[in-house]
């Protein structure tokens, strides 16, 4: 084979693989747009019972056709404290079962022969066009994307078969595979390693499964080799969750490590009973077609035999290991706790985005959950910043006062940086494939982070006014201090309502409570302003005191405006979406 022939084979293979992966991605994204929010809603409510977690992980992964998407969501929920580590492990076990559906789709629809093969993907493509361009509604378009993805996946599978060079024409390569297969049990370990490495490089276990099935179908590799590659793929696919967990806290990292532990231990269990399992799979396959151990050079070779046996093994491997290891979830928790030591508590005054910023994304729809988590963290920051304000009035000396001012200034800087980081992330998300509701949600979140940063600015301005008052030796009487304290309490209540709305499902916010809190602030501001004007007219206090006093309560009222803007941004997004009863980001 000449150099250019090799290049041509590589280009054809890469193109076929690209079509297959794009189809897989389109399928996954279409279903996530259609039901991704419901998937998150279900995952976030997993109980501590292993069976419920396993069944949920299986159903979610089978639905969205991506175990990576499921595990990334799981890491995010564990990171946020929404899901326990034991519950996460159960969901990950179920995700491994759900992903076996991909192999069956490839076997049943992607390995057929005959000139009429393309009739199925073309039919799917025609159906997709109806959903995407004729039928109305965001959900119909998402279904169309899923069907179009299925069509492309099947086309990509056929191209993979055609792009695969006929290894029978290259006896040197077949001899090399034969030598690797001549080391007995060590050969199994070698091909497990090859499968793991290739899956890490391709970053798609479904693609590696497709390649393995094609090689089996053409009779280029035997059953033992194919089984070893499949076990290696199960290990290699865990890299996705571990990449997602790189910027997570200790709990998120432990959830990702649990995925690795489950698959590695599963491989070890299978290796311990390797040959009895092979015999069992052979009997199951023989009941349907030929002996799965027959190779392409053997008489009576049936091309359906080994791919079918591989699908049987893939399902048996994940279901069997889940059945065994589900009883040892507490032990797996102990192992991952040992692998990932507790992190040293970071100072709350340090800037660190918790849920975004790794550069790893799965789909635009799922990235909205990470952005929502980060916005909730943003809200927590500004509320903490607000709670420093009373200390400025009660500070016993300049040292204590300056220490509090330093913290407020640092928090103000943090809010500026958080707005920039989250806004940049949302901009990238908005450039991805989003449903109409998702696009509205991005706009809503952009407005939310802008107003949260303004909340931080307003708090800083109040603090600076306090500093100016202290430097000018301006003193309020007890009544004025009590009035400011009451205004501060009203704003604190508004902040609490805002924070509650940010933490709940965006279509279930209490906008009435937010408006009531804002009205209370405005009404009390009017009362203080009228009293202030009367006091100035009667000469109760001089202008310098009155100016400082009115500026402070006016700043608190301005702070209330930014707070209500946050809840209104959420409510406006809900109204634009047009279906307040629908599930959305949790």
């Amino acid at each position: 084979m000449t150099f250019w022939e090799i290049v041509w084979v590589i280009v054809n293979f890469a193109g076929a693989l690209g079509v297959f992966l794009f189809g897989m991605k389109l399928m996954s994204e279409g279903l996530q747009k259609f039901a991704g929010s419901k998937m998150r809603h279900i995952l976030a409510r997993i109980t501590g019972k292993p069976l419920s977690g396993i069944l949920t992980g299986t159903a979610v992964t089978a639905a969205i056709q991506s175990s990576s998407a499921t595990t990334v969501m799981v890491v995010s929920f564990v990171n946020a404290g929404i899901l326990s580590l034991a519950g996460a492990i159960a969901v990950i076990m179920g995700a491994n079962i759900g992903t076996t559906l991909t192999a069956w789709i490839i076997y049943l629809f992607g390995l057929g022969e005959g000139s009429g093969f393309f009739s199925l993907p073309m039919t799917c493509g025609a159906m997709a066009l109806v959903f995407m361009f004729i039928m109305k509604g965001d959900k119909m378009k998402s279904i169309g994307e899923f069907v179009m993805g299925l069509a492309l996946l099947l086309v990509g599978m056929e191209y993979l078969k055609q792009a695969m060079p006929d290894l029978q024409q290259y006896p040197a390569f077949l001899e090399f595979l034969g030598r690797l297969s001549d080391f007995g049990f060590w050969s199994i370990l070698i091909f497990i390693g090859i499968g793991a490495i290739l899956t890490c490089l391709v970053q798609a276990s479904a693609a590696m499964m497709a390649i393995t099935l094609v090689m089996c179908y053409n009779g280029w590799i035997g059953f033992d080799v194919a089984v070893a590659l499949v076990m290696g793929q199960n290990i290699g696919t865990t890299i996705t969750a571990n990449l997602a967990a790189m910027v997570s806290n200790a709990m998120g990292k432990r959830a990702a490590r649990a995925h690795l532990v489950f698959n590695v231990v599963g491989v070890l269990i299978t290796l311990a009973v390797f040959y009895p399992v092979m015999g069992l799979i052979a009997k199951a396959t023989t009941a349907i077609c030929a002996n799965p151990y027959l190779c392409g050079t053997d008489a009576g070779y049936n091309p359906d035999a080994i791919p079918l046996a591989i699908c049987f093994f893939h399902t048996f491997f994940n279901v069997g290991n889940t059945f065994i290891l589900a009883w040892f979830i507490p032990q797996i928790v102990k192992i991952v706790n040992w692998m990932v030591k507790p992190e040293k508590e970071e100072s709350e005054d340090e800037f660190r985005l918790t849920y975004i910023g790794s550069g790893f994304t799965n789909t635009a729809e799922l990235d909205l959950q990470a952005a929502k988590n980060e916005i909730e963290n943003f809200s927590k920051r500004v509320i903490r910043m607000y709670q420093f304000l009373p200390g400025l009035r009660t500070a016993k000396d300049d040292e204590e006062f300056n220490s509090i001012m330093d913290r407020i200034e640092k928090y103000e800087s943090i809010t500026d940086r958080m707005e920039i980081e989250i806004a940049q992330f949302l901009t990238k998300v908005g450039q991805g494939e989003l449903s109409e509701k998702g696009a509205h949600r991005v706009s809503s979140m952009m407005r939310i982070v802008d107003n949260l940063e303004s909340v931080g600015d307003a708090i800083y301005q109040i603090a600076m006014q306090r500093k100016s008052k202290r430097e000018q030796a301006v003193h309020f009487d007890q009544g004025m201090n009590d009035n400011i304290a009451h205004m501060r309490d009203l704003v604190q209540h508004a902040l609490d309502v805002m924070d509650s709305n940010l933490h709940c499902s965006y279509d279930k916010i209490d906008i009435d409570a937010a408006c009531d809190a804002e009205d209370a602030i405005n009404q009390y501001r009017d009362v203080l302003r009228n009293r202030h004007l009367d006091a100035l007219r009667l000469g109760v206090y001089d202008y310098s005191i009155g100016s400082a006093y009115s500026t402070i309560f006016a700043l608190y009222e301005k702070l209330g405006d930014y707070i209500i803007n946050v809840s209104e941004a959420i409510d406006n997004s809900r109204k634009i979406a047009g279906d307040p009863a629908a599930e959305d980001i949790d």
Side-chain angles (χ1 to χ4, degrees):
M1 181 180 283
T2 66
F3 171 78
W4 292 112
E5 287 176 333
I6 294 174
V7 171
W8 182 246
V9 168
I10 293 174
V11 169
N12 279 341
F13 180 78
L17 185 61
V19 173
F20 178 88
L21 289 175
F22 181 71
M24 201 73 193
K25 181 175 184 291
L26 203 59
M27 280 180 63
S28 177
E29 288 188 347
L31 274 174
Q32 287 178 45
K33 290 177 186 177
F34 178 74
S37 59
K38 292 183 179 178
M39 299 300 104
R40 290 187 290 267
H41 182 83
I42 293 170
L43 282 174
R45 284 157 177 76
I46 291 299
T47 66
K49 296 179 180 178
L51 181 59
S52 67
I54 292 170
L55 293 176
T56 302
T58 301
V60 169
T61 305
I64 63 177
Q65 273 299 287
S66 174
S67 61
S68 296
T70 304
T71 52
V72 167
M73 281 192 284
V74 166
V75 168
S76 173
F77 287 141
V78 173
N79 191 48
I82 298 173
L83 187 62
S84 70
L85 183 56
I89 293 172
V91 174
I92 288 170
M93 290 178 175
N96 277 21
I97 296 175
T99 197
T100 61
L101 181 63
T102 304
W104 286 105
I105 291 175
I106 294 170
Y107 171 74
L108 293 173
F109 302 108
L111 290 176
E113 293 282 5
S115 59
F117 168 79
F118 281 97
S119 61
L120 178 58
M122 291 305 102
T123 301
C124 291
M127 291 173 57
L129 291 177
V130 172
F131 280 109
M132 295 174 71
F133 299 108
I134 299 178
M135 299 186 71
K136 296 181 179 180
D138 202 39
K139 290 186 179 295
M140 292 299 100
K141 291 181 181 179
S142 298
I143 294 175
E145 286 186 17
F146 166 76
V147 178
M148 183 62 78
L150 176 61
L152 288 173
L153 181 144
L154 297 176
V155 171
M157 192 67 213
E158 179 65 14
Y159 284 155
L160 272 176
K161 289 166 54 182
Q162 296 176 6
M164 277 283 197
D166 186 358
L167 297 184
Q168 302 291 347
Q169 300 178 10
Y170 307 102
F173 186 77
L174 289 176
E175 183 182 351
F176 173 71
L177 285 178
R179 285 200 301 269
L180 288 180
S181 305
D182 287 340
F183 298 107
F185 194 76
W186 288 104
S187 294
I188 302 300
L189 299 180
I190 291 172
F191 281 103
I192 288 175
I194 292 173
I197 293 171
L198 291 178
T199 305
C200 288
L201 294 175
V202 176
Q203 267 297 284
S205 60
M208 281 306 303
M209 176 61 72
I211 293 170
T212 302
L213 289 174
V214 169
M215 294 178 74
C216 292
Y217 185 78
N218 291 327
W220 298 332
I221 59 175
F223 183 48
D224 291 1
V225 170
V227 163
L229 289 174
V230 169
M231 288 192 286
Q233 291 160 22
N234 276 271
I235 295 175
T237 194
T238 63
I239 191 66
T240 303
N242 281 278
L243 283 174
M246 288 178 63
V247 295
S248 297
N249 57 25
M251 291 301 291
K253 290 183 174 70
R254 287 167 183 164
R257 299 297 187 277
H259 192 201
L260 175 63
V261 168
F262 171 76
N263 283 303
V264 170
V265 173
V267 167
L268 294 176
I269 292 173
T270 304
L271 288 175
V273 291
F274 185 74
Y275 293 109
V277 169
M278 296 303 97
L280 181 64
I281 299 298
K283 289 180 180 179
T285 310
T286 303
I288 298 177
C289 55
N291 189 329
Y293 286 100
L294 289 176
C295 294
T297 56
D298 295 330
Y301 169 69
N302 184 342
D304 289 331
I306 294 183
L308 176 62
I310 290 301
C311 290
F312 274 139
F313 172 77
H314 192 217
T315 303
F316 177 87
F317 174 85
N318 287 294
V319 174
N321 286 322
T322 296
F323 178 79
I324 294 171
L325 294 177
W327 302 95
F328 297 96
I329 288 179
Q331 285 71 30
I332 296 176
V333 170
K334 290 181 180 179
I335 291 172
V336 297
N337 284 340
W338 173 78
M339 293 175 69
V340 180
K341 302 300 182 184
E343 296 176 345
K344 293 181 179 179
E345 289 295 326
E346 290 189 347
S347 169
E348 61 181 7
D349 294 351
E350 295 302 321
F351 172 74
R352 175 179 179 267
L353 289 178
T354 307
Y355 307 100
I356 63 177
S358 66
F360 175 84
T361 59
N362 193 64
T363 68
E365 291 287 334
L366 289 180
D367 286 337
L368 288 177
Q369 178 64 46
K372 182 178 185 298
N373 291 342
E374 206 64 71
I375 288 172
E376 292 170 7
N377 192 31
F378 197 171
S379 174
K380 177 183 175 183
R381 292 273 189 174
V382 296
I383 290 175
R384 178 61 179 147
M385 180 182 179
Y386 182 77
Q387 291 169 346
F388 294 142
L389 290 178
L392 294 176
R393 187 180 74 82
T394 60
K396 298 181 178 61
D397 50 40
D398 288 344
E399 182 179 357
E400 182 180 352
F401 183 91
N402 291 333
S403 175
I404 296 173
M405 275 300 302
D406 288 343
R407 298 190 73 181
I408 291 176
E409 288 175 356
K410 189 165 189 178
Y411 266 68
E412 200 275 333
S413 175
I414 289 173
T415 60
D416 289 344
R417 294 169 62 190
M418 290 190 77
E419 181 203 15
I420 293 171
E421 294 282 352
I422 298 174
Q424 288 177 343
F425 180 78
L426 287 170
T427 300
K428 292 179 181 179
V429 173
Q431 294 169 353
E433 291 293 330
L434 282 169
S435 63
E436 184 179 354
K437 183 182 288 188
H440 290 314
R441 187 65 73 225
V442 168
S443 298
S444 172
M445 287 180 168
M446 293 286 281
R447 184 180 172 196
I448 289 169
V449 296
D450 177 61
N451 279 283
L452 284 175
E453 191 275 334
S454 295
V455 169
D457 285 345
I459 295 171
Y460 179 68
Q461 289 171 14
I462 294 172
M464 290 301 294
Q465 187 62 33
R466 283 284 186 184
K467 182 178 181 181
S468 175
K469 171 180 170 293
R470 187 181 184 90
E471 290 173 347
Q472 296 175 18
V474 173
H475 301 287
F476 295 161
D477 61 29
Q478 187 60 43
M480 299 169 79
N481 283 326
D482 290 343
N483 292 338
I484 294 296
H486 183 63
M487 175 65 92
R488 188 176 63 243
D489 291 341
L490 292 176
V491 174
Q492 178 66 62
H493 174 65
L495 282 168
D496 292 339
V497 173
M498 177 198 76
D499 189 60
S500 176
N501 284 335
L502 287 172
H503 278 77
C504 73
S505 177
Y506 277 9
D507 52 19
K508 297 178 182 178
I509 70 163
D510 192 346
I511 189 64
D512 292 336
C515 291
D516 289 344
E518 165 69 1
D519 288 342
I521 293 171
N522 289 340
Q523 290 173 14
Y524 194 64
R525 183 275 318 270
D526 293 341
V527 170
L528 293 184
R529 182 169 56 190
N530 291 334
R531 290 178 182 174
H532 165 65
L533 294 175
D534 289 341
L536 285 178
R537 186 174 65 254
L538 298 174
V540 176
Y541 43 70
D542 62 33
Y543 181 79
S544 61
I545 295 176
S547 176
Y549 177 56
S550 63
T551 299
I552 290 177
F553 70 68
L555 284 172
Y556 273 106
E557 189 277 332
K558 187 64 175 176
L559 178 54
D561 290 341
Y562 295 129
I563 293 170
I564 189 61
N565 286 346
V566 172
S567 292
E568 286 180 343
I570 302 172
D571 189 54
N572 185 57
S573 178
R574 175 179 63 173
K575 291 176 180 177
I576 292 175
D579 186 9
E583 292 292 345
D584 214 302
I585 299 173
D586 295 322

